[in-house]
Amino acid sequence: MARSNEVNLNECKMVVPLNTWVLISNFKLAYNLLRRPDGTFNRHLAEFLDRKVPANANPVDGVFSFDVLIDRGTSLLSRIYRPATAEEPQPNVAELEKPVTAEVVPVIIFFHGGSFAHSSANSAIYDTLCRRLVGLCKAVVLSVNYRRAPENRYPCAYDDGWTALKWVNSRPWLQSQKDSKVHIYLAGDSSGGNIVHHVALRAMESGTHVLGNILLNPMFGGQERTESEQRLDGKYFVTLRDRDWYWRAYLPEGEDRDHHACNPFGPNGRSLEGIKFPKSLVVVAGLDLIQDWQLAYVEGLKKADQEVKLLYMEQATIGFYLLPNNNHFHTVMDEISKFVGSDC
Amino acid sequence: MSLHDSASSAAGSSSGSSSSLSSSKPPPSSLQQDIVRHLAGAGYTIRSSDLPQVAQRLERLETAMGSSPADFFQLASDAILYNPSDLASWVDSLLSEFTQLPTCCFEFILAPVDNAWTTAELHEPRVQQNITYEQQSLDRQLTVVTAMEEDSDIRLVHKLMACAECVQRGDFSSATSLIDDMQGLLARVNTVCGIRKVAGHFIDALSRRIFLGIGGGSVDGCGSAFENEILYHHFYEACPYLKFAHFTANQAILEAFDGHDCVHVVDVNLMHGLQWPALIQALALRPGGPPLLRLTGIGSPSPDGRDSLREIGSRLAVLARSVNVRFAFRGVAASRLEDVKPWMLQVNPKEAVAVNSIMQLHCLLISDPTLNSPIETVLNWIRDLNPKILTVVEQEANHNQLDFLDRFTEALYYYSRMFDSLEACRVQPEKALAEIYIQKEIRNVVSCEGSARVERHEPLAKWRRRLSGAGFMSLPLGSNAFKQASMLLTLFSAEGYSVQENDGCLSLGWHSRPLIAASAWQAMPEPGSCVSCLE
């Protein structure tokens, strides 16, 4: 057992830069401390360990941020990131919600990852990522601090995402000048990617227009054990056991992984034929053990005649988009920028 | 962000080689540049030269975890962990908790497994390094949590800012007409929550500044000491800020007193002594039995001749007796903290001394060039006591800025957060009196200047610099204190409070905005000679 662990560790270190390896290994280590075998979660320790950053209304690298309370009842906070403009490099704090001035301003609603249990909108890694997206897409980004498992199971995260979407859609100050509408994109990584799909579904059902979905290493699964899961189990930071733990923590008690939240095109899934679903950009890391599920998701969209672009990054592991020190990162950022930019 | 020139090909980077790092520049000489920039963006500080060793230790932990998972869970629930940002020391402390191997495997001399505290102390220089690196970004911080839930909020904020700006410029007639406008607005909107709630108090404070002048605080009087104590007590009951302060400070003091038989707490402002019953009880339950506890309480002399310090001391003595803790109390009446001299405190060289300051140090930040800086004077006498620990709790706000408008803006957002959190309190008259307590602070920040303005709150980043410069080094507060604080909050069952850890200090906030920060310090062995605290 120990020997095959050694082999795994060495392989893994060959494909990621050292500082990425250290970062993700540290997460893995910390997360192992937090998941208890009985399904409970050491939330106090999790919050202690999570590196958080405050919002900053002073622009840093051309981006400033502030937190808003979207729903008082559930204490649903979100962090908004905006570009500081050339005309107003230092925004007036009374005017944080000043109307956007461009003809078209994409508004990206971002759902952070963490397998439904970890991280927050103010986690340092996600604050960094959201700031990048602002500059990249010339967008306003709203990062949702959704309720997490196991304390809050399905459908809380989706409910919070939907609440945020409604809020964004109803802000006059986020409307693009061209058509006085809010140009909304949904984006997320890991569990955030899963939330993107389900919130987009609700949007379609209620006639709210979403321009596009961006799913980075989205978290999907199913009862079956797929080839990639068996081949890659424990090899690149992630094990099947931890994936199972997180699904048990998020899904309603007693449900299995063929629940539609986990497996949207599975036996309990819902067909998207005939529905106008947003175009999707799906990024799959070639060393992610759940890639078979992610690829099945893409197939499911294609079968329903939905517009989808797949970016398969062969040598990428989970979390490659957290540090700008590899080629996959730059490729993906370029594609995201094109995906959002093609709206104009 | 330099994206493309720092990219390195992922494939082919062999383990242990620092050339696989993102930076294509040669290893920089200064400590700060040595910190891996991208990891800093993720909230971790680590030197690029340490990466290979840290990687190695992570691997070792991984293997250990795989072979004895039960021990690992034990670690998670029992160990006290410190400073997750400092990756190198964090990984080392985990390893020392987890393994019982002899020291030959590691570079640092590890303390016995059950004493994670010592291990953290050995890594002090790294912690200082973290602080220096973060300062630059924190200085430019302006944290705004808006509760702009209605359109009227935005109008009100606009007018408040405009009014403050007029006041700053000396245009009192425009300011006055804006005040009339705002009072009209307020009369028409629901003032139950959000920024509207606190707007009334800010309008009031601006009016005072205009009509009573900046010494207005002294005309109003500080209220009698008795009144202030009542307000303080209700603020204590209505929301968790003071409880957090006391709990966290007590936890740190308890840990510092571990192993000492004679201990002495110096409280720089005793008030009602609300903090001390819990410490007395915790010491009573200490494994191995309680120490001899001396408590010296400093406070203002009572104007009505009551020896209130002694009264409180007696009550605490009764409690101590009931739990079999040998206890002695001394009161030191001083109207100004800077007038206290070490000899007044009668510290015994064999005692472990803890100095405790809950929201007192900011009052000393009056910068009058004709006086010796009061804050320096006080920090000097504290350091001269050679305390085992100095616990400091302060409002996490930047209310001491020179520019009135900046100060006003900060205060507006800070106090609107605090008022918002008070909404969770359902008991009266605690809530109403707590609001009055806070209102007095607002008045002082906004309508007073010079020696009348005592509420000179400064953020943790500034306190770190000040305390380091005065010869103190940081003692990290760990996961145990964090957990206690977190659990305290669940008692309040108000969703919205959160505890955060930041480089060894803990803060309590509402809706992700820290409002009060607690830290612990120790006098440096040779004051002023520690290289790492120089900027």
Side-chain angles (χ1 to χ4, degrees):
Chain A
M1 183 62 178
R3 203 173 155 272
S4 75
N5 263 349
E6 266 171 48
V7 168
N8 291 343
L9 293 172
N10 285 334
E11 261 179 58
C12 191
K13 281 167 84 178
M14 305 268 279
V15 296
V16 294
L18 189 57
N19 55 359
T20 304
W21 191 90
V22 165
L23 179 70
I24 302 188
S25 297
N26 187 52
F27 280 136
K28 179 172 129 185
L29 176 68
Y31 292 2
N32 282 331
L33 286 174
L34 303 172
R35 294 189 302 268
R36 296 200 196 98
D38 65 358
T40 60
F41 190 74
N42 192 339
R43 182 62 65 189
H44 298 303
L45 188 56
E47 292 305 296
F48 175 75
L49 295 178
D50 188 28
R51 306 290 83 208
K52 298 186 200 288
V53 296
N56 192 352
N58 287 328
V60 174
D61 289 337
V63 180
F64 66 95
S65 63
F66 57 100
D67 293 339
V68 290
L69 183 63
I70 288 188
D71 182 68
R72 200 167 265 280
T74 51
S75 279
L76 180 62
L77 286 166
S78 287
R79 181 163 289 180
I80 297 185
Y81 301 83
R82 293 186 70 167
T85 56
E87 301 85 50
E88 210 175 343
Q90 192 81 21
N92 181 344
V93 288
E95 298 187 323
L96 295 171
E97 296 182 9
K98 202 172 150 182
V100 296
T101 50
E103 277 292 292
V104 174
V105 177
V107 179
I108 302 176
I109 302 180
F110 181 79
F111 300 99
H112 66 81
S115 307
F116 293 105
H118 298 281
S119 295
S120 307
N122 60 351
S123 294
I125 48 171
Y126 289 113
D127 186 86
T128 301
L129 182 56
C130 287
R131 284 171 171 274
R132 270 197 237 288
L133 290 175
V134 172
L136 193 66
C137 303
K138 311 280 180 285
V140 172
V141 176
L142 181 132
S143 182
V144 184
N145 199 45
Y146 59 88
R147 283 170 292 168
R148 297 163 303 187
E151 301 93 323
N152 301 287
R153 291 176 179 269
Y154 163 94
C156 292
Y158 303 157
D159 289 344
D160 289 351
W162 176 232
T163 304
L165 177 51
K166 283 188 291 186
W167 187 91
V168 165
N169 205 32
S170 64
R171 298 303 103 185
W173 61 277
L174 286 174
Q175 289 169 353
S176 290
Q177 296 298 317
K178 169 169 128 177
D179 52 8
S180 296
K181 291 206 172 92
V182 186
H183 289 218
I184 297 175
Y185 291 83
L186 300 177
D189 72 310
S190 167
S191 49
N194 177 294
I195 296 172
V196 165
H197 170 80
H198 290 281
V199 171
L201 267 184
R202 284 207 208 177
M204 293 306 113
E205 276 159 14
S206 68
T208 308
H209 190 42
V210 170
L211 289 167
N213 290 348
I214 299 166
L215 289 78
L216 285 172
N217 298 7
M219 187 171 156
F220 294 118
Q223 270 308 105
E224 189 196 328
R225 297 304 192 192
T226 65
E227 185 272 336
S228 66
E229 283 170 318
Q230 282 158 8
R231 175 171 47 94
L232 296 169
D233 186 9
K235 293 254 166 66
Y236 297 96
F237 307 113
V238 187
T239 64
L240 260 186
R241 239 172 119 203
D242 68 64
R243 293 297 97 203
D244 289 352
W245 191 99
Y246 291 115
W247 284 120
R248 272 197 306 274
Y250 178 64
L251 296 170
E253 308 219 34
E255 293 283 352
D256 69 15
R257 290 185 304 275
D258 280 334
H259 186 276
H260 73 96
C262 177
N263 195 355
F265 292 119
N268 303 310
R270 171 209 161 149
S271 165
L272 293 185
E273 282 182 55
I275 291 180
K276 183 144 184 359
F277 201 63
K279 65 173 182 178
S280 299
L281 176 65
V282 182
V283 176
V284 177
L287 299 175
D288 187 344
L289 83 172
I290 60 168
Q291 62 188 270
D292 285 347
W293 294 111
Q294 295 161 339
L295 294 169
Y297 175 77
V298 171
E299 281 311 301
L301 287 176
K302 283 189 180 153
K303 278 209 194 87
D305 272 318
Q306 304 296 345
E307 196 186 327
V308 54
K309 177 165 186 179
L310 167 65
L311 277 181
Y312 186 83
M313 317 301 301
E314 259 190 54
Q315 287 288 46
T317 63
I318 54 145
F320 72 87
Y321 45 81
L322 294 177
L323 297 181
N325 58 3
N326 58 82
N327 291 328
H328 315 298
F329 174 91
H330 297 119
T331 308
V332 167
M333 292 299 145
D334 284 343
E335 289 288 340
I336 291 177
S337 160
K338 278 189 239 158
F339 185 76
V340 172
S342 66
D343 175 29
C344 305
Chain B
M1 277 294 218
S2 57
L3 296 177
H4 293 273
D5 66 353
S6 63
S8 72
S9 168
S13 58
S14 50
S15 64
S17 160
S18 55
S19 63
S20 65
L21 290 178
S22 52
S23 172
S24 53
K25 305 182 195 113
S29 52
S30 105
L31 278 178
Q32 281 168 265
Q33 286 167 335
D34 207 18
I35 290 168
V36 180
R37 192 175 175 208
H38 297 137
L39 291 182
Y44 298 101
T45 47
I46 179 169
R47 285 189 288 213
S48 51
S49 47
D50 286 336
L51 270 176
Q53 289 157 355
V54 170
Q56 209 178 45
R57 282 165 204 178
L58 280 167
E59 279 179 315
R60 207 176 272 147
L61 269 167
E62 163 121 23
T63 316
M65 187 178 80
S67 48
S68 42
D71 289 346
F72 215 70
F73 285 117
Q74 204 62 30
L75 193 163
S77 53
D78 293 347
I80 302 177
L81 306 167
Y82 299 92
N83 254 326
S85 275
D86 182 349
L87 264 183
S89 70
W90 157 252
V91 169
D92 287 338
S93 69
L94 273 183
L95 259 177
S96 77
E97 279 285 334
F98 191 72
T99 64
Q100 327 249 337
L101 297 174
T103 59
C104 59
C105 302
F106 311 110
E107 280 178 20
F108 303 106
I109 299 165
L110 294 175
V113 169
D114 61 357
N115 193 353
W117 185 259
T118 314
T119 315
E121 275 178 50
L122 286 170
H123 301 292
E124 270 325 302
R126 289 181 196 278
V127 176
Q128 291 292 7
Q129 196 176 296
N130 298 342
I131 292 166
T132 331
Y133 185 76
E134 266 185 30
Q135 275 158 16
Q136 287 127 42
S137 55
L138 284 175
D139 274 352
R140 295 194 58 227
Q141 201 82 41
L142 174 57
T143 308
V144 170
V145 181
T146 65
M148 309 277 211
E149 292 161 75
E150 316 256 324
D151 284 335
S152 53
D153 285 356
I154 300 178
R155 283 208 299 277
L156 206 44
V157 169
H158 271 265
K159 287 194 197 283
L160 272 168
M161 304 288 289
C163 185
E165 212 231 334
C166 291
V167 167
Q168 177 165 275
R169 277 187 290 125
D171 179 1
F172 293 140
S173 56
S174 305
T176 310
S177 78
L178 277 165
I179 287 185
D180 288 338
D181 282 351
M182 289 191 282
Q183 279 168 341
L185 252 183
L186 268 189
R188 293 196 301 274
V189 301
N190 176 3
T191 53
V192 164
C193 56
I195 217 158
R196 291 151 262 145
K197 177 109 199 202
V198 82
H201 299 306
F202 276 84
I203 294 169
D204 163 82
L206 280 170
S207 304
R208 282 168 177 271
R209 193 180 175 105
I210 297 169
F211 300 115
L212 298 174
I214 55 180
S218 48
V219 169
D220 179 34
C222 310
S224 71
F226 182 62
E227 262 174 36
N228 284 342
E229 282 175 23
I230 303 244
L231 293 176
Y232 181 86
H233 205 119
H234 285 90
F235 180 67
Y236 180 90
E237 292 296 336
C239 45
Y241 303 106
L242 289 179
K243 292 189 182 73
F244 164 78
H246 294 172
F247 258 58
T248 308
N250 283 346
Q251 182 65 34
I253 293 172
L254 202 58
E255 287 178 25
F257 281 169
D258 193 28
H260 292 271
D261 291 324
C262 294
V263 303
H264 186 170
V265 174
V266 175
D267 189 356
V268 305
N269 191 0
L270 188 66
M271 297 290 279
H272 286 188
L274 289 174
Q275 181 171 351
W276 307 118
L279 184 70
I280 292 171
Q281 279 160 345
L283 287 172
L285 294 172
R286 197 169 82 154
L292 162 62
L293 169 67
R294 292 180 52 212
L295 173 66
T296 300
I298 302 174
S300 302
S302 315
D304 52 4
R306 263 171 57 219
D307 193 348
S308 52
L309 287 174
R310 182 180 290 217
E311 278 171 25
I312 295 163
S314 307
R315 273 187 266 142
L316 290 172
V318 167
L319 168 67
R321 212 169 10 252
S322 73
V323 291
N324 290 322
V325 174
R326 290 165 299 148
F327 178 80
F329 176 84
R330 211 160 155 273
V332 173
S335 45
R336 299 182 325 159
L337 211 48
E338 55 267 40
D339 294 334
V340 173
K341 306 272 184 288
W343 60 260
M344 297 176 189
L345 306 171
Q346 295 188 350
V347 164
N348 188 316
K350 287 193 229 124
E351 296 174 322
V353 177
V355 179
N356 182 74
S357 164
I358 308 288
M359 297 171 359
Q360 297 304 305
L361 295 184
H362 63 256
C363 305
L364 303 168
L365 293 177
I366 294 166
S367 56
D368 184 336
T370 64
L371 298 173
N372 289 329
S373 155
I375 181 72
E376 275 176 29
T377 309
V378 170
L379 288 179
N380 281 340
W381 71 244
I382 293 178
R383 212 190 61 238
D384 287 345
L385 296 175
N386 195 22
K388 192 95 190 344
I389 187 169
L390 162 65
T391 47
V392 175
V393 181
E394 283 289 327
Q395 289 91 333
E396 181 58 10
N398 205 358
H399 296 155
N400 196 23
Q401 297 171 77
L402 279 174
D403 186 88
F404 175 70
L405 190 56
D406 285 344
R407 207 161 79 220
F408 183 86
T409 310
E410 264 277 327
L412 183 61
Y413 287 108
Y414 179 85
Y415 287 106
S416 85
R417 280 304 87 210
M418 189 163 265
F419 260 82
D420 221 25
S421 74
L422 258 191
E423 283 311 302
C425 172
R426 302 258 177 256
V427 269
Q428 295 286 15
E430 282 80 354
K431 182 172 163 188
L433 291 174
E435 290 185 2
I436 297 177
Y437 176 88
I438 302 173
Q439 182 184 22
K440 282 179 163 252
E441 271 187 26
I442 295 174
R443 269 191 198 162
N444 193 267
V445 173
V446 172
S447 64
C448 297
E449 291 297 340
S451 56
R453 178 157 64 91
V454 295
E455 299 295 350
R456 294 176 177 262
H457 313 141
E458 287 192 344
L460 186 55
K462 283 196 176 165
W463 285 111
R464 281 192 218 262
R465 283 204 291 274
R466 243 180 240 287
L467 287 161
S468 301
F472 292 93
M473 64 189 197
S474 161
L475 276 176
L477 298 170
S479 58
N480 202 13
F482 185 96
K483 182 175 170 181
Q484 299 263 14
S486 261
M487 283 166 58
L488 164 69
L489 294 183
T490 61
L491 293 176
F492 273 81
S493 63
E495 287 290 314
Y497 284 110
S498 59
V499 184
Q500 284 187 26
E501 188 274 350
N502 183 344
D503 251 328
C505 300
L506 299 189
S507 64
L508 172 63
W510 175 259
H511 284 164
S512 88
R513 157 81 208 249
L515 294 174
I516 187 170
S519 57
W521 304 83
Q522 188 177 49
M524 274 197 269
E526 275 150 315
S529 67
C530 177
V531 171
S532 54
C533 62
L534 297 175
E535 285 183 50

